[in-house]
Amino acid sequence: MEALVLSITLFVLATFLGVELIHRIPTTLHTPLMSGANAISGITIVGALVVAGGGFGWISWAFGVSAVVFAMMNVVGGYTVTDRMLEMFTKKPEAK
Amino acid sequence: MEALVLSITLFVLATFLGVELIHRIPTTLHTPLMSGANAISGITIVGALVVAGGGFGWISWAFGVSAVVFAMMNVVGGYTVTDRMLEMFTKKPEAK
Amino acid sequence: MPVALELLLYLVAAVLFVLGLKRLGSPLTARQGNRMSGVGMLLAIVVTLFDHGILGYQEIIVGMFIGSAVGFWMARSVKMTSMPQMVALLNGFGGGASLLVGGAEFLKAELAGVTPTIDIGITTQLSLLIGSVTLSGSLIAWAKLQEVMTGKPITFPLQKVINGGLFAAIVGLAAYQLIVPQQVLWPFYTVIALALVLGVLLVIPIGGADMPVVISLLNSYSGIAASMTGFVIHNNVLIIAGALVGSSGIILSQIMCKAMNRSLANVLFGAFGGDAGAIGKSSEGLTVRQVTVEDAAVQLGYAQLVIVVPGYGLAVAQAQHAVRELADLIERRGGEVKYAIHPVAGRMPGHMNVLLAEANVPYEKLCEMDQINDDFQRADVALVIGANDVVNPAARTDEGSPIYGMPILNADHAKSIIVMKRGMSAGFAGIENELFYNPKTAMLFGDAKKSLTSLVTEIKAL
Amino acid sequence: MPVALELLLYLVAAVLFVLGLKRLGSPLTARQGNRMSGVGMLLAIVVTLFDHGILGYQEIIVGMFIGSAVGFWMARSVKMTSMPQMVALLNGFGGGASLLVGGAEFLKAELAGVTPTIDIGITTQLSLLIGSVTLSGSLIAWAKLQEVMTGKPITFPLQKVINGGLFAAIVGLAAYQLIVPQQVLWPFYTVIALALVLGVLLVIPIGGADMPVVISLLNSYSGIAASMTGFVIHNNVLIIAGALVGSSGIILSQIMCKAMNRSLANVLFGAFGGDAGAIGKSSEGLTVRQVTVEDAAVQLGYAQLVIVVPGYGLAVAQAQHAVRELADLIERRGGEVKYAIHPVAGRMPGHMNVLLAEANVPYEKLCEMDQINDDFQRADVALVIGANDVVNPAARTDEGSPIYGMPILNADHAKSIIVMKRGMSAGFAGIENELFYNPKTAMLFGDAKKSLTSLVTEIKAL
Amino acid sequence: MRIGVPAETRPHERRVALVPDGVAKLKKAGCDVLVQRGAGTAAYLTDADYEAAGATLVGTAAEALGADLVLKVQRPTAEEAGQLREGATLVSFLAPAGSADLLSALTGRKVTAFAMELVPRSTKAQSMDALSSQATIAGYKAVLIGADAMGRILPMLTTAAGTLAPAKVFVIGAGVAGLQAIATARRLGGMVSAFDVRSVVREQVQSLGATFVEVAAVEGEGQGGYAKELAEDQQARVVAGIGEHVKGQDLVITTAQIPGRPAPRLITAEAVRAMKPGSVVVDLAGESGGNCELTKFGEAVTVNGVTILSPVNLPAGVPLHSSQMYGRNVLTFVTHLLQDGALQIDLSDPITGPMCVTHAGELRTGKAA
Amino acid sequence: MRIGVPAETRPHERRVALVPDGVAKLKKAGCDVLVQRGAGTAAYLTDADYEAAGATLVGTAAEALGADLVLKVQRPTAEEAGQLREGATLVSFLAPAGSADLLSALTGRKVTAFAMELVPRSTKAQSMDALSSQATIAGYKAVLIGADAMGRILPMLTTAAGTLAPAKVFVIGAGVAGLQAIATARRLGGMVSAFDVRSVVREQVQSLGATFVEVAAVEGEGQGGYAKELAEDQQARVVAGIGEHVKGQDLVITTAQIPGRPAPRLITAEAVRAMKPGSVVVDLAGESGGNCELTKFGEAVTVNGVTILSPVNLPAGVPLHSSQMYGRNVLTFVTHLLQDGALQIDLSDPITGPMCVTHAGELRTGKAA
Ligand SMILES: NC(=O)c1ccc[n+]([C@@H]2O[C@H](COP(=O)([O-])OP(=O)(O)OC[C@H]3O[C@@H](n4cnc5c(N)ncnc54)[C@H](OP(=O)(O)O)[C@@H]3O)[C@@H](O)[C@H]2O)c1
Ligand SMILES: NC(=O)c1ccc[n+]([C@@H]2O[C@H](COP(=O)([O-])OP(=O)(O)OC[C@H]3O[C@@H](n4cnc5c(N)ncnc54)[C@H](OP(=O)(O)O)[C@@H]3O)[C@@H](O)[C@H]2O)c1
Ligand SMILES: NC(=O)c1ccc[n+]([C@@H]2O[C@H](COP(=O)([O-])OP(=O)(O)OC[C@H]3O[C@@H](n4cnc5c(N)ncnc54)[C@H](O)[C@@H]3O)[C@@H](O)[C@H]2O)c1
Ligand SMILES: NC(=O)c1ccc[n+]([C@@H]2O[C@H](COP(=O)([O-])OP(=O)(O)OC[C@H]3O[C@@H](n4cnc5c(N)ncnc54)[C@H](O)[C@@H]3O)[C@@H](O)[C@H]2O)c1
């Protein structure tokens, strides 16, 4: 039970941190930011790997490996697509 | 050991949160903010109470109770003094 | 690998996510931020692989490889304009993965005959529910944007009631699942099925134009789903990263709504997402594209050449000082600003000269039509402020138009056009202006002075 | 009380600290924020009391009562102008408490003959070290500000070397303490003693003017000390709250340094803190008070009546448009702005009229000297922009002065005065201006146009 | 084709119908341009400038008037009309409403005459609109003249010798000239208010930073952007309202006109008498009778210290710029008529048609009424 | 004590030495003010205004001139001087450097005479500084006159009839009048540049948004904020530099003066001939010889289409405001002299002393050289 509260504590702190991290974002960055955050939500890959590697027979097989495929698509696709979108911002260095 | 890492995790998250929470502060608020943060650092009172209430004989007595006195001064003094400083900001409602 | 080290490395990954997310918020650091968070992800994956000795399982490696390859290929081949639906699709996969992980954990316990603790039970059900909604909802969002299905809101009677009922049923079944004896699996499957349906129903009444908000919200959900999975499998990096995405996604959705001058509730339940373009429907059914101040600010802040086209609206708004300030700011950032003065802009000969002289715009910057018309194609942005007739392409092409034959400013030759006016009303000649429906054109509605002032604030914040 | 509930309540307290700290950052919510965090503190105390059944120990209650009473009395009786030293003192108490808690834990283990784990050992030593430095450093800061000791930097040869040596010795001793067998206590006491000395040595070379930064930094330290204590007694609320204060304190110190245009390193090791006022030393040794743009913004943003006194510097800076913009902004926020035009401001008759007309300042707002001189006492801020001679009180009092007898604008009658100029150079008449040394006056150095533009940005962000 | 530009003969007329820049353009279009020696001198355009632009300088007016196309500013005198070639084309201000004699002379000689006052107010014809271009100059100049005649300066000045209050300027009739007057007076620092019977003008006045005076609730928008005459009761209300407002003004500039009608009487003698000594009224409607009861066209009248000016031909007072603009107007119109170096007169054209007052021996009364 | 304000008699002088507002203040201070009937009429100040302010209207100049203290604008003629009471006090512009006859007449009648041109340029005396106040008006008016005489308008206008380029205005000598001219020309939309030999002026010119022309590296700051005469080689360089810059200008306003010396010759005939036809030079230094070689004081000269104006007494052209300012200057000075309703003349006073040119039958040459 204490472990649960600890987990909740982490959850709460991370939630606050997420809120604070996002400030006045120019609209042009909305989609990349969304996409970048989506890539992070691919962290489920860790869960997928745990399940797939847990050795629970068909569950690992059917659920685990397909979860791994899905999650990997999310992760790799997510980061790549975000990077592509962000390319355009590195073109012109800001003159100040 | 895992407990330690968990504590470190909390420490790290809270540190980030602390950094993010403080943004462009008008100078007038520097002192109140400092004072308010100082009041929060009086959280040592919890440690002081634990020590004082731990029943370790003279240690509890000498260290614990004096820690309690010190920490309480920090807490009560800190919150009160901050509140006094902030009084002036509630005078005029903002017309927008 | 010692558990403590594993946890520590997970913590490093979490820190990289935090830093990455923060950097994603500014144009200058965004790319670097994305890469930082990518490194964090790699670290988390490697740690997990090592820790669980998973490296032995060939099929997992194959699965990872397939997923990576497909994901990479999709990401590389998608057109720039289809990015939003791509994100929707990827997000759906993430939700699906959470669903599968939650399901696996549930079945594992069932099969092993273990009754999970109440917290594990609840979080498992949550990861199933949220994962399913994310999965099906994201797919619908994708379909709407990809125009596989109609982008218009789909509504039917009692929609909200039905959604509410569905939700209640899911909660009830999930609760029942927690208390029934082992081996009863139908509530589990039913919850998943109903949640998938719920995801569909929640998204179909929302119009295509509002999809980005929905995707961001679903993205937030998939974060929460990941976080719930973290509770289930006792993994802190999942909890932290999931919670980060969960909360930042909601904030981002809100910011997006604010940028559209809507509330989140209005977007989700307004069921009029498809009407957003109505304000700018021309008689031929064309629609205009609106731009937010933030967006316009980025365009102008990074432009090399901006040509300002002032018109009568600039005078009405008395925005001469504001436009000068904007120009100064752009120039301080290294851009160039010119003013294209049409001979009949305004309502009296020399109207624009009078205004801009008052704001001390140097005469060198005021260009006559003939002198500047060729420069438009070099311009990154043509900023049309309260001008209308003087940039109306009908003068070039439409013989029936009362302004046919009048030479106009070639604002439409610029790489992009931002038009500031209060609404869609016509100018002096009383005729419609095609330029506003040009795909390169973005409308910034509102009083020109207000818009300019906000632009200045936004560009300063870039 | 079940442990889980206790932990949950601690979490609630931590959340209240987070929210409170956030709200402290804006004038409108600051007071409420402080109260939220206060409620969090109360909650944490009550939970601890209940949990450990401490209510029984009479002496603890008495101790709490004494501490509260003394703290409350000190906080109520201190003068508004002595706030910074008060905070320093309270902060010292906090550091002292951490030191005592860490010491108690150490002794407890020693006495019980338990060898603490390495992490407990390290964090204990850290809480001792940081607590001691905070305690003695804060007391020195207090003494400097209270003028119990000199506010000037105290330096002596090899200071940095000595400090470095001291620090090395402390680290060495602490490490030794961790590995020596039980019952050897001298390293423990020596570490404390040396750390106390270190705290003193670190603070004495810093000038009185820089004390706020030091206090903020020490405050950050006391947060870290509390956090370390949390590691020692395995208490998460201590860890979280301590870390929050630790990091926010450092950021705040940095912001403060930036506001003074200095780096943190410069403040801590520059050993010239006392020179800061040099720029504004008058021949009689008076000093001027500088103000930051942020501060000026708050003053102007909340003022009811602002009287602008323009002078030749406004013309030189060509800041006429900027001042108009500032005035518009203040008026949109509900304040009132007037311009006091001195007959000989500038360098030609009507110089200010020409400028302000160009910026479209309505004639009604331009007030002649006789008409406005009585209004100054009602003004919250007299904003003197590049004017000098026309507000020089020497004209009223100093018979020897070349401007004696010239009527001047009563800027000095305003509740506060902000003067914008580039440096301390004299005006046309070439004489010094006492007004700048008036305790009510704050100088905003820099080109008037730049200062005004930044002010506008800052007020918008309020 | 030969185009002739004679020197203007009206007293005080300093403009010229074509500037060297226009000569060069017509040369390029394949025409010969004959400019009378000294035609541009009063407008500071030298014969050398014309020659450099490709003009053929001719010694007498007769030579220039004998061209196929004659460009003028002022309507020709009887003598000048007599020198036009039979069947020639004439582009000039013609004041057709009051020039019956001239028109019949032109018809007699089968001259095709275009009146520059009749450029239609369509978007496309804007660059030929000589009334607008000359009114722009007139509005500017009216303020200069008025400011010069005043006892005070326009801007506010706070000086060691006291504060000079800003002058109050009131512009009646905010058409082209009126708006330019508003802008110029504001530039000089005056506090400007304005009135017009067309209500669309309110926003235009405000867009120049001046205030619109609601002297009476009337609406007088007529055809083609012009005003129409007001009904009697409305007129009375306007006059009363203006009389009230005019009292406190230091400079009043009136430009109210109704096409083809005498100018409306807006300022009564009584209203003038109520004004402060040293104030000035500049009446730009003098030629059509004046907006002020006391106006004497071309003269300065002083009543009770108030000066009423009714200047003649203000644009001619800024000869270089007004010629430049008029020349451009004429040039654009001629270019509109030209095809392959010859005139193609298409009377069904929406610009050419209404402007043509005589053609092939006939009087065209379409718009000339 | 009785204070007399006679009507001015110089031709074209429209100012008056005291305005009703000043009369009221002196009345309050316990003086009787005798104003000659019609003294203010040319400045749009009626006798009624004066009477309302408490003045006693007198029918003849002799009555006003016979007062204890006489206030005038222009130095008295011999006849007027003869009507002054023995031992009276006179405050007026006196042009002492060139008025030997007048001064001896005044000494003969033991008049205490104060010359308003000699107000010291100290901060305290600023509100008595009539040279500055009148120069302010002159600078403003010079631009109006110049603008009126030009062939073009000052501001840039982009219109359907082409773009009118903004006029280039060049101001030589950026003292009080010059700065005001700069400000006024900028208001009207001209592109203004300026030159002065005193280098402190650079920043002042820029503070008005105009550009400072570095025609030659010289420094001519003399005493009391005035310029000093330049060495020959420097002068030559300045003239050459100005000649070069002046070529492209449409309006040139010159105000360069050196106290007690003839005005420096800065624009040669050759430079004028290089200017464009239609440009205008307004020379405010005409009275002391002019800054332009072709200047004829009080006349308009036209050379090659360039007009050189040298207006006489510009402040009198804005009589109300210039009287108001002059009146305030005089009033402040008189108030400075008054103690309990009587004059207390303390010649050791740093203001009174230098201004006094004759006293108790003696000529005071201290500053009058
Ligand atoms: N220059 C001359 O001498 C002269 C004389 C007479 C007529 N004209 C005619 O006037 C026209 C001039 O063209 P133009 O492009 O300058 O003007 P325009 O075609 O009249 O268009 C002005 C636009 O400004 C917008 N607007 C008005 N107030 C605004 C505000 N406060 N903020 C933002 N936008 C505002 C209006 O749209 P919303 O209402 O939707 O905001 C309107 O569409 C030409 O047709 C010309 O022929 C010119
Ligand atoms: N009005 C007239 O007719 C006239 C004529 C001649 C002389 N005067 C004399 O001029 C004086 C006018 O008084 P004043 O108060 O207007 O001016 P002032 O006394 O000359 O003071 C101007 C101040 O502005 C500051 N400054 C200059 N450039 C600046 C910039 N870019 N940004 C910010 N500050 C700037 C200067 O200080 P820093 O260098 O430290 O920035 C200077 O102290 C009086 O003494 C008057 O007698 C007036
Ligand atoms: N191509 C075009 O679209 C075009 C070209 C030129 C002018 N215009 C428009 O035509 C309008 C009139 O032009 P104009 O200046 O040649 O007109 P104008 O010279 O005939 O009249 C001047 C002004 O006097 C006003 N007036 C008439 N009777 C009045 C009364 N009793 N009281 C007060 N004011 C009165 C009129 O409304 C007009 O504004 C302007 O608004 C102008 O913008 C349009
Ligand atoms: N109380 C005071 O402090 C006070 C009062 C009035 C004026 N002033 C100052 O005195 C100065 C001069 O005033 P003024 O206008 O009466 O002077 P002025 O009329 O004597 O001369 C006009 C200008 O001509 C300039 N000049 C002289 N020779 C020149 C040459 N060869 N080339 C170019 N320019 C030349 C002078 O420098 C001066 O600026 C001004 O700067 C003014 O600010 C001070």
Side-chain angles (χ1 to χ4, degrees), chain C residues 318 320-321 324-325 328 332 357-360 449 453-454 456-457 460, chain D residues 318 320-321 324-325 328 332 357-360 449 453-454 456-457 460:
Chain C
Q318 287 284 295
Q320 58 269 41
H321 297 288
R324 163 81 202 262
E325 209 194 335
D328 284 354
R332 248 180 286 134
E358 189 187 316
N360 244 338
K449 188 167 176 188
T453 317
S454 335
V456 166
T457 312
K460 278 193 188 149
Chain D
Q318 286 283 294
Q320 59 268 41
H321 297 288
R324 164 81 202 261
E325 210 195 334
D328 284 354
R332 248 179 288 133
E358 189 186 317
N360 246 337
K449 188 168 177 187
T453 317
S454 335
V456 166
T457 313
K460 278 191 186 151

Side-chain angles (χ1 to χ4, degrees), chain B residues 4 7 11 15 18 26-28 34 38 41 43-44 46 49 56 63 72-74 79 83-84 87 94-95, chain D residues 28 31 34-35 37-38 54 67 75-76 78 91 93-94 98 100 108 219 222 227 231 238 247 292 295 298 333:
Chain B
L4 175 63
S7 297
F11 181 76
T15 301
T27 327
T28 344
M34 177 169 88
N38 169 53
S41 78
I43 190 70
T44 318
V46 169
L49 287 176
F56 312 116
F63 282 70
M72 255 351 245
M73 274 159 68
N74 187 0
Y79 281 108
D83 198 57
R84 270 190 66 195
E87 250 171 13
E94 189 180 14
Chain D
L28 289 182
R31 198 167 190 203
N34 188 49
R35 290 178 171 186
S37 113
I54 301 176
R76 293 258 44 134
V78 63
N91 189 47
F93 294 155
S98 286
L100 289 171
K108 197 179 85 185
N219 180 29
S222 78
S227 201
F231 278 94
L238 270 175
S247 57
T292 62
D295 226 354
V298 174
R333 294 174 58 92

Side-chain angles (χ1 to χ4, degrees), chain D residues 310-318 342-352 385-391 403 406 420-429 436 445-449, chain E residues 158-160, chain F residues 122-123 126 132 176 203-204:
Chain D
Y312 180 55
L314 181 80
V316 172
Q318 286 283 294
H342 190 277
V344 301
R347 286 291 181 278
M348 67 161 203
H351 205 159
M352 297 302 118
I385 310 179
N388 192 336
D389 298 343
V390 299
V391 289
I403 61 168
M406 174 173 87
M420 290 185 186
K421 57 203 300 282
R422 295 164 309 181
M424 289 301 291
S425 25
F428 182 82
F436 304 157
F445 287 121
D447 178 74
K449 188 168 177 187
Chain E
T158 304
T159 76
Chain F
S122 67
T123 302
Q126 273 175 120
S132 281
V176 177
E203 193 189 52
Q204 298 175 12

Side-chain angles (χ1 to χ4, degrees), chain C residues 310-313 316-317 343-349 386-390 406 420-429 446-449, chain E residues 123 126 203:
Chain C
Y312 180 55
V316 172
V344 301
R347 286 292 182 276
M348 69 162 201
N388 192 338
D389 299 342
V390 300
M406 175 174 87
M420 291 187 187
K421 59 204 298 283
R422 294 163 309 181
M424 289 301 292
S425 26
F428 182 82
D447 177 75
K449 188 167 176 188
Chain E
T123 302
Q126 273 176 122
E203 193 188 53

Side-chain angles (χ1 to χ4, degrees), chain D residues 217-286:
Chain D
L217 198 67
L218 289 172
N219 180 29
S220 166
Y221 290 171
S222 78
I224 298 175
S227 201
M228 291 306 122
T229 341
F231 278 94
V232 177
I233 65 168
H234 296 294
N235 187 308
N236 290 338
V237 75
L238 270 175
I239 296 180
I240 297 173
L244 274 176
V245 174
S247 57
S248 61
I250 289 203
I251 298 291
L252 182 58
S253 315
Q254 270 171 353
I255 292 178
M256 285 167 139
C257 290
K258 234 182 97 190
M260 308 194 306
N261 255 326
R262 310 261 302 275
S263 74
L264 192 51
N266 180 302
V267 168
L268 296 183
F269 307 117
F272 65 56
D275 296 354
I279 189 179
K281 277 244 167 61
S282 81
S283 30
E284 297 98 62
L286 295 167

Side-chain angles (χ1 to χ4, degrees), chain D residues 341-344 349-351 353-354 360 363-364 366 368, chain E residues 154-160 162-163 166 186 189-191:
Chain D
I341 312 296
H342 190 277
V344 301
H351 205 159
N353 300 102
V354 170
N360 246 337
Y363 282 146
E364 309 78 271
L366 309 185
E368 288 179 63
Chain E
L154 280 169
M156 175 181 184
L157 285 190
T158 304
T159 76
T163 295
R186 287 240 325 137
M191 295 182 72

